[in-house]
Amino acid sequence: MIDGLKHFVAEGMSACKVLVIGDVMLDKYYFGEVTRISPEAPVPIAKVFKIDETLGGAANVAHNLALLDCQTSIIGQIGRDNHGEIFLGKLKSLGVDYSGMIETSKPTTTKIRVISGHQQMIRLDFEDASELDGATSDKIVENFIERLPGVDAVIISDYGKGVCTKKICREVIGACRAAKKCVIVDPKGDNWQKYFDASFITPNLKEFNAVLPRKIANVDEQIEESARKVIDEFNLHGLVVTRSAAGLSLIEDKKTAHIKARAQEVFDVSGAGDTVIAVFALAMAGGLDSAAAAYLANVAAGVVVAKVGTYAVSREELSDAL
């Protein structure tokens, strides 16, 4: 299997076309050093020496895909503001097709983090998480339907910021089913009815527990048993449950694979779910079977959790990790 995956990473990824639809955001990091307390109030003063701006949410999924040389397109909502301009500039530099993006009066969702050393001191969020209005929702769906024939797989990246409404999710999944295209969902919240009929859902353990009648532990047998019930309930092809330091589990009707994580000196899961769904979808788009796709996604996640903060894995890093 490893030789096949190496060949796919080296030569197969650039032929794949994946469309991401969901809640996009901009992540800003202010890195500094705290050496004193403010005389104005009992709070630490961080002297900033570095500022990073990265794509977050559904856009981090697209970032991962683009760095893996996948032909990537994205649909979502941004504001008519400076953060939106920065956001589009980053997509452009990656070669991501953002012609399906919608500008609205809502702000571009932005998260600002102040970090000293490896410690996050504060986070500031700029967002309006209310659902999109009817006209904007219709335009999102229209943009999606126009682009669906030209892609191999679709990712719904739900961060609960207003784009992944029941109406939009149902129409997107229904269109994918009709077109026989794989549609993979990164879920949010406990209303999975809107994801009914999806090909795969990729929850972490906390998100998975949110839809279960009783909380389960991070144990293979409990995850497998509960997953099969959820697959039946929501008419899915399968689940990919990410389990932090325990790796991930792929559960389908007649297939199960529990794939262990590699030990890392740093274990920061920020953005790891974005990497998993990006690589899994890319592999499925390239014709790999689900077990190979899950294995490759787990290898990619191992690269990401060894970094601090949101991080997108490149094709070269993934190749080296294999």
Side-chain angles (χ1 to χ4, degrees):
M1 181 177 73
I2 297 298
D3 287 341
L5 291 177
K6 287 181 178 178
H7 178 77
F8 175 68
V9 171
E11 300 185 21
M13 287 182 163
S14 59
C16 300
K17 300 175 182 178
V18 179
L19 188 157
V20 182
I21 180 169
D23 299 297
V24 304
M25 58 189 72
L26 182 69
D27 286 329
K28 299 185 71 170
Y29 294 87
Y30 290 84
F31 294 94
E33 180 182 10
V34 174
T35 58
R36 61 194 181 101
I37 301 299
S38 171
E40 302 165 3
V43 295
I45 296 175
K47 183 178 180 181
V48 176
F49 54 79
K50 180 183 176 183
I51 301 173
D52 278 348
E53 295 169 329
T54 63
L55 296 168
N60 186 45
V61 179
H63 190 186
N64 276 271
L65 290 166
L67 288 187
L68 294 168
D69 292 338
C70 174
Q71 298 176 54
T72 309
S73 52
I74 189 165
I75 297 174
Q77 172 271 325
I78 58 169
R80 301 181 183 93
D81 50 31
N82 179 249
H83 288 158
E85 292 176 5
I86 294 170
F87 176 87
L88 293 181
K90 291 192 170 295
L91 290 179
K92 183 177 181 179
S93 69
L94 289 167
V96 174
D97 177 6
Y98 57 86
S99 60
M101 292 294 301
I102 302 292
E103 287 188 350
T104 74
S105 59
K106 295 170 64 173
T108 302
T109 301
T110 305
K111 296 179 180 180
I112 297 177
R113 299 170 176 88
V114 180
I115 297 171
S116 175
H118 292 312
Q119 180 65 45
Q120 184 177 149
M121 298 172 60
I122 190 171
R123 193 179 94 181
L124 308 175
D125 287 5
F126 298 83
E127 66 180 34
D128 176 354
S130 60
E131 291 191 357
L132 299 177
D133 61 54
T136 305
S137 294
D138 290 343
K139 184 61 178 175
I140 290 274
V141 173
E142 178 185 327
N143 287 356
F144 174 79
I145 297 299
E146 287 177 358
R147 289 159 179 77
L148 180 59
V151 302
D152 303 310
V154 172
I155 294 172
I156 298 175
S157 181
D158 190 350
Y159 272 80
K161 305 303 181 185
V163 170
C164 298
T165 61
K166 182 177 180 179
K167 168 185 166 59
I168 289 176
C169 287
R170 299 303 310 127
E171 295 202 35
V172 166
I173 293 170
C176 289
R177 281 279 187 165
K180 294 181 169 53
K181 301 286 179 78
C182 183
V183 54
I184 305 165
V185 180
D186 189 358
K188 187 73 172 180
D190 59 2
N191 178 22
W192 282 23
Q193 197 62 41
K194 63 182 178 178
Y195 311 135
F196 190 88
D197 271 349
S199 305
F200 290 89
I201 299 182
T202 64
N204 60 35
L205 186 61
K206 180 180 178 181
E207 291 163 342
F208 188 41
N209 268 315
V211 296
L212 301 178
R214 290 188 301 277
K215 186 176 180 179
I216 62 170
N218 197 359
V219 177
D220 290 356
E221 294 77 14
Q222 292 186 34
I223 288 173
E224 183 175 347
E225 179 183 359
S226 298
R228 296 199 183 282
K229 294 177 181 177
V230 169
I231 288 169
D232 288 342
E233 181 179 357
F234 298 106
N235 198 37
L236 310 173
H237 184 82
L239 282 171
V240 178
V241 183
T242 57
R243 301 169 53 190
S244 192
L248 62 78
S249 293
L250 167 71
I251 303 97
E252 298 174 86
D253 183 34
K254 296 180 180 179
K255 184 189 297 183
T256 300
H258 300 292
I259 305 168
K260 302 304 178 185
R262 299 181 182 186
Q264 301 290 351
E265 290 183 10
V266 179
F267 206 91
D268 183 346
V269 298
S270 302
D274 296 335
T275 299
V276 167
I277 196 170
V279 175
F280 184 78
L282 175 53
M284 295 294 287
L288 273 63
D289 67 58
S290 55
Y295 182 88
L296 190 62
N298 189 63
V299 172
V303 175
V304 170
V305 299
K307 311 293 183 178
V308 176
T310 304
Y311 186 82
V313 63
S314 70
R315 186 169 63 85
E316 291 73 17
E317 287 173 309
L318 183 54
S319 180
D320 289 344
L322 280 170

